[in-house]
Amino acid sequence: MDFSWTPEQIELRDRIVEFAQSSLNDANRERDRSEEFNRRGFELCAEFGIQSMAVPAAYNASGIDTDLVTAALAMEAIGYGCRDNGLSMALAAHMWTVQRPIAEYGSEDQKQRFLPPLTAGELIGAHALTEPDAGSDNMAMQTTATPTDGGYVLNGHKRYITLGPIADVVLVFATTDPAKGRWGMTALLVETDRKGCDTTVVREKMGLRTVPMGDVVLSDCFVPEANRLGPEGAGASISSGSLAVERSFLLSTNVGTLQRQLEEAIAHAQERRQFGKPIGKFQSVSNRIADMKLKLETARLLLYKLAWMLEQGESVALEAALLKLHLSEVMVESSLDAIRIHGGAGYLTDAEIERDLRDAVGGVLYAGTSDIQRVLVARLLGL
């Protein structure tokens, strides 16, 4: 693996940072308070070409191919420049849990119908796997897709769906035959304007308040066979494959946030004086900053290694679980470190530091909890 960046990649990273800093940070505190999604920011990202980086040029709005390592660098740049973690998560969820599965498993018709408007920011996509009684145990799902003439009739209730309340199309996982277990799970693309497809209002949350989450309820919702993603019964395989990529990229913007937190902590520790000297001269502060640097570098290396392995077509189940576990945990730890280093000022909302901690906590829960990642790692190690 080559650890150097080309001049073109560095130039792209710098352009994304500049774009994010100048275009995606207006009224962040107000949006957090009012739980408002920055739809205009989402559209500006599409105009820049961010959403196009998850799918091949033949199907994206920019007409440019982006390899996965460069895409990881781009997502990191978004996280560094954009202080709205909800918008960053919305981008990652839309790109890697909806667009990417369509690009990898979709028919030519599905790619042509859905990917251009999704990458152009004209449509918003959501990924619906979790249910009230099926979280970590997704094989316990009760949503059904009953075969009928020309398609399927869907009935079920999906919960905690990122972007669900505002999505135009939802990638729904349902079972065509509960008796078949995992071999009965099927993936379908459901337009939310279909009769029988309803979404809830936004759920109030501790953090990530600027990305809408809610439920998707399906009541005798007919979906044509042309909207089935992959063969009938292939849903479990599609879910497993897409989850590996999801765990690889869903938190990728956090690497940029970790970099920003570190730089701001260093600057504050150099400027803030107590007892006649900068607080960075006190070992308790400098040690904390050293730990923040270690967390950043280990997370970054795991992300780049994983992106490189995906680009090579290698299996990444173990590495994806490790990255999801490590990056979610260190994001919480680093955010708390940043508050401690800034002291009372860091605890205040106006400083925009405490919000990172509130937003980070969700990372140890969604896309597989940290406990589940540890179970996966142990199982893949043969335990």
Side-chain angles (χ1 to χ4, degrees):
M1 180 179 178
D2 187 351
F3 287 90
S4 62
W5 297 109
T6 67
E8 292 77 14
Q9 289 172 316
I10 294 172
E11 190 268 340
L12 174 63
R13 178 199 63 194
D14 293 345
R15 283 198 300 113
I16 293 174
V17 169
E18 181 181 359
F19 156 72
Q21 290 175 333
S22 63
S23 303
L24 304 180
N25 289 324
D26 62 301
N28 283 339
R29 282 171 292 178
E30 291 75 11
R31 286 197 182 90
D32 182 69
R33 292 190 182 102
S34 63
E35 301 186 349
E36 176 189 351
F37 176 60
N38 186 359
R39 180 63 185 255
R40 180 53 184 157
F42 186 88
E43 292 169 349
L44 288 173
C45 287
E47 292 175 14
F48 188 94
I50 299 299
Q51 287 92 316
S52 291
M53 294 181 181
V55 300
Y59 306 106
N60 70 45
S62 73
I64 299 172
D65 272 320
T66 304
D67 64 86
L68 290 174
V69 177
T70 302
L73 180 65
M75 299 305 289
E76 177 184 343
I78 284 287
Y80 179 85
C82 176
R83 302 188 76 101
D84 182 351
N85 299 313
L87 177 57
S88 296
M89 182 186 176
L91 287 167
H94 171 90
M95 293 167 63
W96 303 107
T97 73
V98 182
Q99 290 184 177
R100 190 72 182 184
I102 296 174
E104 292 190 340
Y105 303 105
S107 65
E108 184 65 22
D109 169 69
Q110 290 168 347
K111 294 175 185 178
Q112 294 288 356
R113 274 195 292 145
F114 292 108
L115 290 179
L118 284 169
T119 59
E122 298 166 3
L123 298 181
I124 289 180
H127 181 279
L129 181 64
T130 301
E131 298 183 2
D133 296 314
S136 298
D137 180 13
N138 55 47
M139 290 300 127
M141 71 167 56
Q142 298 178 16
T143 298
T144 58
T146 305
T148 188
D149 289 341
Y152 301 85
V153 175
L154 273 63
N155 285 281
H157 189 162
K158 297 296 184 178
R159 176 155 289 177
Y160 307 137
I161 306 305
T162 300
L163 294 171
I166 61 171
D168 301 289
V169 58
V170 182
L171 175 54
V172 173
F173 291 85
T175 179
T176 55
D177 185 351
K180 292 182 178 179
R182 65 180 285 111
W183 306 116
M185 187 189 297
T186 299
L188 300 114
L189 296 164
V190 182
E191 298 94 337
T192 55
D193 60 359
R194 287 188 175 276
K195 182 180 179 181
C197 180
D198 297 297
T199 59
T200 67
V201 296
V202 177
R203 290 179 172 271
E204 294 182 3
K205 306 183 294 298
M206 171 184 177
L208 293 171
R209 295 175 178 173
T210 57
V211 56
M213 295 184 187
D215 293 6
V216 177
V217 181
L218 302 156
S219 304
D220 291 331
C221 178
F222 174 77
V223 178
E225 186 175 351
N227 280 29
R228 188 187 66 214
L229 190 66
E232 186 174 300
S237 297
I238 292 173
S239 176
S240 297
S242 63
L243 275 175
V245 177
E246 176 183 350
R247 288 168 180 154
S248 304
F249 283 92
L250 193 56
L251 296 177
S252 55
T253 57
N254 284 358
V255 175
T257 306
L258 291 172
Q259 177 72 50
R260 171 166 45 80
Q261 287 178 336
L262 176 64
E263 292 177 4
E264 292 177 350
I266 293 171
H268 182 75
Q270 291 172 333
E271 296 168 2
R272 172 70 169 166
R273 298 181 68 87
Q274 291 288 279
F275 304 101
K277 58 183 177 181
I279 63 171
K281 297 299 181 181
F282 294 100
Q283 195 172 47
S284 58
V285 175
S286 61
N287 282 355
R288 186 165 285 126
I289 289 176
D291 287 342
M292 291 175 72
K293 175 64 172 176
L294 179 60
K295 292 164 187 171
L296 165 65
E297 293 302 329
T298 51
R300 177 178 278 149
L301 287 171
L302 277 171
L303 173 63
Y304 294 164
K305 176 186 177 183
L306 193 51
W308 179 82
M309 290 179 67
L310 283 167
E311 189 67 29
Q312 304 306 308
E314 297 184 19
S315 174
V316 297
L318 174 61
E319 289 77 10
L322 287 170
L323 175 65
K324 172 60 172 63
L325 170 62
H326 182 67
L327 189 45
S328 62
E329 294 289 343
V330 300
M331 186 65 198
V332 173
E333 295 166 6
S334 180
S335 298
L336 185 56
D337 287 338
I339 292 174
R340 285 173 166 163
I341 290 167
H342 284 83
Y347 192 67
L348 300 180
T349 299
D350 287 348
E352 296 194 87
I353 296 172
E354 58 82 31
R355 189 171 68 236
D356 282 343
L357 177 60
R358 289 191 285 108
D359 293 341
V361 172
V364 305
L365 303 173
Y366 57 73
T369 67
S370 288
D371 293 330
I372 286 294
Q373 303 310 317
R374 291 185 176 95
V375 170
L376 288 172
V377 170
R379 185 181 301 159
L380 291 166
L381 291 176
L383 299 177

